[in-house]
Amino acid sequence: EIRIATILRRSGALGLVSHADAEERHLKTPSDGADLIAIALAGRAAELQEYGEASSGIAGDLQYATTVASQLVGQMGASDTLISLEAAMIPGAGNIVAKVLTDEVSRAKVEAILESAADRVACMLLEHRAALIALADALCAEDELHGDRIAEIVTATLAA
């Protein structure tokens, strides 16, 4: 559920998309994690598609995607092992991201998760480029779009 998309600067971000679960959930599945990663990588995919390269604006999104992928691998068994890296006592690696990224096998799995999500999002944006452009145009005109307006634009674009 998208709450708001804005191109107005907020708290160090040049723009943002705020989203939430349609209903409150306390447990997340690996599929939920994969969707969150895809959402985080969507801005990067759009920049690559439209401009040929990504800007520094994606730094926070990459950090978030890497954190979620690391949690999938190190805490939720989304790797070739059921070992929890969170349980490991690795000197100098105080958090799950550091633990996962210092383990060669786990790091490769995180990279594969991120690459898969990036490919998924790139295909979705190519398929729905008209909606991307319509949303970008609306954001340029209005600076901020609420969830119902976003749904209206996407629905109209997909129906055309």
Side-chain angles (χ1 to χ4, degrees):
E1 176 183 333
I2 299 174
R3 293 186 176 164
I4 192 167
T6 181
I7 57 173
L8 300 175
R9 185 180 173 101
R10 292 196 175 151
S11 304
L14 296 176
L16 62 87
V17 175
S18 174
H19 57 90
D21 291 335
E23 58 187 59
E24 185 177 351
R25 295 174 40 202
H26 298 285
L27 298 174
K28 300 284 186 202
T29 66
S31 295
D32 295 331
D35 289 344
L36 291 172
I37 293 166
I39 291 167
L41 295 178
R44 175 184 176 273
E47 288 185 2
L48 288 171
Q49 177 179 300
E50 297 303 315
Y51 305 124
E53 60 185 348
S55 72
S56 61
I58 64 152
D61 298 331
L62 286 180
Q63 180 180 358
Y64 178 75
T66 301
T67 298
V68 174
S70 295
Q71 290 169 340
L72 289 174
V73 171
Q75 294 174 324
M76 296 178 63
S79 188
D80 297 331
T81 179
L82 293 177
I83 294 172
S84 168
L85 292 179
E86 182 69 356
M89 299 301 281
I90 301 171
N95 65 45
I96 191 62
V97 176
K99 290 174 184 175
V100 169
L101 297 182
T102 57
D103 177 76
E104 188 175 322
V105 173
S106 298
R107 181 185 179 96
K109 182 62 177 179
V110 166
E111 185 67 35
I113 290 170
L114 294 173
E115 289 291 334
S116 175
D119 290 346
R120 175 180 164 206
V121 169
C123 290
M124 290 172 68
L125 285 175
L126 281 172
E127 181 180 350
H128 301 292
R129 185 171 186 269
L132 171 67
I133 299 303
L135 287 169
D137 288 345
L139 278 168
C140 287
E142 302 174 37
D143 292 333
E144 208 168 77
L145 301 172
H146 291 275
D148 55 345
R149 178 77 173 115
I150 293 167
E152 176 185 300
I153 293 168
V154 170
T155 301
T157 306
L158 295 177

